[in-house]
Amino acid sequence: MAQSYKSLKEDFVSNLSGGSAWEINHVTAVAPAAVLLWSALQSRQTFFVDYGSIAFLADHLLNVGAILAAITVYSSAPTILNLLLIFPAMSLYFFPSRSRTRQKKAVQLNGQHDPSKGQDSLGPLPDRPFITHYRGSMMVVTCVAILAVDFRVFPRRFAKVETWGTSLMDMGVGSFVFSAGLVSARPVLKARAARDKSDIRASLKAAFRHSLPLLALGFIRLYSVKGLDYAEHVSEYGVHWNFFFTLALLPPSAAFVQALPSWLVSIDMIALLVSYVYQMVLDSTSVTTYILTAPRDTLLSQNREGLFSVWGYLGIFLVGQAVGLDILPRAGSKLSVSMFGMNMNRPLLMRLLMWSTWFSVLLFLATSYRVLGLQVSRRLANLPYVLWVSAFNCAQLALFCAVETLFFPGLYSITDKRGGRQRCEQATSQVLSAFNRNGLAVFLLANLLTGLVNLTTDTLRTRQGQAMAALFTYATILSIVATALHWKKISIKL
């Protein structure tokens, strides 16, 4: 890569100030709106029950194509795209199919079950289609954005902010960590259900075993970027640090927290405590100045953004885990522990709204000029950033849960394991389930394809039509690979 072109590429993603959080909410609302239309087609028309090439294409266009359009050609008018998705869904909801065959299948999808088919004991951790939709959509946005950001069709206000402010890609990084924390609650709950009281050494061993592949990916990315003289944004994580290293440090850190007695303090309070103490260090010492302005003359200073921001990402990871401990167990289960360690017997949607409201209030207090007056910074991963990511993701979960509640109201009332799993599969998008199943592997493939495109294409001079064609082809390849692995029931654990 010519030095002049490399500099142009680096300047293209540097010194950006982002956009408004409100606009990010509008753009990302396309994901639950697309799932809304998918759910309407499935519950009212049973469109995706017989899953062939046409169903896959419709699934892909809805749950991947709509997101691609939202962050590119519809970036200035996300409300129009949302309405284009919501109006047909509401029409299907209020005016369903008159076909008797379709009506019969729709009734089966909405939760009525024939008890004569046999009963298996229900496990404490049911499948949650809305969580699959949330995680799958988050992965689609992330994978599409990491290539789209290199084209001019992707608005600069959506790219990562240099220091202070909010952007779509800043939220994407935090959401990736929140999502990882959410599913990390599952093994914790399984251990509790089995009354397995493993010691800290066993927990740390399992955490480090999970981190080793991430560390390997981090080093592979480091050597490939340096070896290929690839354009890089140094102030994002540092000279040598990258996102895979950050992800690798989170499971062992969370394992230490899990070793604390559950009666002593709840996970969400520890998350807030870690984030608040880190913010106090930023405000009361010279750490902020050091991170933002220090010369890169030592190994520590060269990678200061990545090393210090781990504390903020740990707070996000723990918040995600706390939410997972609350919403993953079956209704009425003693395993469920909600905010502040309390067991609250409330509907799932209500609990998610409470989580979202709680973090939204804290975010308002942290950023209000009359209270703390802090600014969001993904580069520092400070307290406002932790609260913003937490509030946003809880709200997204609530939206996906509301869609599921509206179109599949009897999903969790089925009394046998086999029937419940079958209904959950029918209430879940195959494409989003595929992205969720092998999320990290798909993300790695997305990084490889992004590098290939950037090494072979002058993305800065590519016209809008050509850019959209390249992005759609790239997204389609990811969907085909992910869905093929899903159909073959292949799970790549990294």
Side-chain angles (χ1 to χ4, degrees):
M1 183 179 293
Q3 185 65 35
S4 58
Y5 181 63
K6 178 184 177 182
S7 300
L8 287 174
K9 295 277 288 187
E10 291 173 349
D11 291 343
F12 191 56
V13 295
S14 302
N15 301 313
L16 302 175
S17 56
S20 70
W22 185 249
E23 182 185 28
I24 295 169
N25 293 339
H26 273 200
V27 171
T28 53
V30 168
V35 171
L36 180 77
L37 181 52
W38 183 94
S39 300
L41 288 168
Q42 177 71 327
S43 66
R44 295 299 188 265
Q45 301 286 328
T46 62
F47 187 86
F48 300 98
V49 170
D50 299 321
Y51 204 87
S53 56
I54 295 177
F56 167 75
L57 180 60
D59 199 353
H60 172 68
L61 290 175
L62 275 177
N63 293 303
V64 179
I67 290 174
L68 172 60
I71 65 176
T72 52
V73 292
Y74 274 92
S75 58
S76 298
T79 302
I80 294 176
L81 183 56
N82 278 306
L83 292 176
L84 289 173
L85 294 168
I86 293 172
F87 279 164
M90 289 297 96
S91 298
L92 287 169
Y93 179 77
F94 289 111
F95 305 102
S97 171
R98 297 289 182 181
S99 167
R100 290 184 179 181
T101 303
R102 290 185 181 275
Q103 284 181 349
K104 183 178 179 180
K105 289 184 178 180
V107 167
Q108 293 175 349
L109 281 174
N110 288 324
Q112 294 186 15
H113 178 60
D114 182 3
S116 65
K117 292 185 178 179
Q119 302 232 345
D120 300 322
S121 59
L122 294 172
L125 300 175
D127 295 330
R128 301 271 192 210
F130 80 91
I131 294 180
T132 300
H133 287 154
Y134 154 76
R135 281 175 47 84
S137 296
M138 181 275 301
M139 186 59 63
V140 170
V141 175
T142 302
C143 292
V144 171
I146 61 173
L147 177 59
V149 68
D150 296 314
F151 292 92
R152 296 191 183 277
V153 71
F154 187 84
R156 292 302 88 195
R157 64 185 182 278
F158 289 173
K160 289 177 181 175
V161 172
E162 187 68 23
T163 303
W164 309 105
T166 57
S167 77
L168 178 69
M169 293 194 72
D170 288 337
M171 177 54 71
V173 174
S175 297
F176 200 104
V177 173
F178 183 97
S179 175
L182 182 72
V183 295
S184 74
R186 199 169 187 87
V188 176
L189 290 167
K190 285 183 177 180
R192 289 182 183 178
R195 297 182 179 180
D196 180 11
K197 298 182 179 179
S198 302
D199 59 16
I200 180 63
R201 288 177 297 179
S203 298
L204 282 175
K205 184 178 179 181
F208 278 114
R209 188 165 55 247
H210 179 71
S211 295
L212 284 177
L214 293 169
L215 281 173
L217 291 175
F219 282 111
I220 291 172
R221 177 173 173 79
L222 170 63
Y223 286 116
S224 60
V225 167
K226 300 300 181 182
L228 295 172
D229 195 27
Y230 194 75
E232 54 184 329
H233 190 187
V234 172
S235 63
E236 187 176 334
Y237 295 107
V239 176
H240 309 100
W241 200 269
N242 59 61
F243 188 48
F244 289 112
F245 290 140
T246 298
L247 291 176
L249 289 181
L250 297 178
S253 303
F256 278 108
V257 174
Q258 285 295 331
L260 297 174
S262 58
W263 54 265
L264 180 63
V265 66
S266 60
I267 299 297
D268 47 323
M269 292 305 296
I270 296 177
L272 291 175
L273 180 63
V274 168
S275 303
Y276 181 74
V277 170
Y278 174 54
Q279 183 64 50
M280 291 294 292
V281 171
L282 291 175
D283 290 344
S284 59
T285 67
S286 59
V287 170
T288 299
T289 303
Y290 173 77
I291 294 174
L292 300 182
T293 64
R296 300 185 187 273
D297 51 5
T298 65
L299 186 62
L300 175 62
S301 63
Q302 286 177 334
N303 301 284
R304 55 187 185 265
E305 291 91 352
L307 290 167
F308 281 97
S309 65
V310 165
W311 293 103
Y313 287 117
L314 176 60
I316 294 172
F317 186 87
L318 291 175
V319 170
Q321 189 175 82
V323 174
L325 292 173
D326 180 20
I327 68 174
L328 289 179
R330 192 174 299 279
S333 171
K334 295 181 179 179
L335 294 176
S336 180
V337 178
S338 192
M339 288 187 293
F340 313 122
M342 298 182 292
N343 195 320
M344 296 189 293
N345 188 22
R346 297 179 183 272
L348 198 59
L349 180 57
M350 182 63 68
R351 299 207 302 272
L352 284 168
L353 290 173
M354 290 175 66
W355 280 106
S356 178
T357 302
W358 166 240
F359 286 112
S360 296
V361 170
L362 291 180
L363 176 62
F364 173 78
L365 294 175
T367 55
S368 173
Y369 288 108
R370 295 184 179 181
V371 188
L372 295 181
L374 302 173
Q375 289 182 282
V376 173
S377 174
R378 188 262 325 146
R379 185 177 178 182
L380 299 174
N382 60 358
L383 177 62
Y385 179 69
V386 173
L387 297 175
W388 177 48
V389 170
S390 301
F392 174 88
N393 281 274
C394 289
Q396 282 279 303
L397 281 166
L399 284 173
F400 283 109
C401 183
V403 170
E404 180 181 283
T405 303
L406 180 64
F407 286 99
F408 305 101
L411 198 57
Y412 303 114
S413 63
I414 301 169
T415 56
D416 74 284
K417 187 175 182 179
R418 186 186 307 170
R421 179 166 295 177
Q422 181 182 1
R423 300 296 157 75
C424 285
E425 288 177 356
Q426 292 173 339
T428 308
S429 158
Q430 292 288 309
V431 168
L432 294 183
S433 185
F435 272 89
N436 173 62
R437 181 172 192 155
N438 289 296
L440 198 54
V442 174
F443 181 63
L444 177 60
L445 175 61
N447 275 270
L448 293 174
L449 291 177
T450 296
L452 179 63
V453 171
N454 276 279
L455 290 172
T456 58
T457 306
D458 185 349
T459 58
L460 298 184
R461 296 181 177 87
T462 303
R463 296 179 180 179
Q464 178 173 307
Q466 294 172 324
M468 289 304 300
L471 289 171
F472 185 77
T473 302
Y474 158 82
T476 303
I477 292 172
L478 293 179
S479 283
I480 291 173
V481 172
T483 306
L485 291 173
H486 180 62
W487 282 346
K488 294 181 178 296
K489 300 187 184 302
I490 297 175
S491 296
I492 302 174
K493 302 297 183 183
L494 295 177

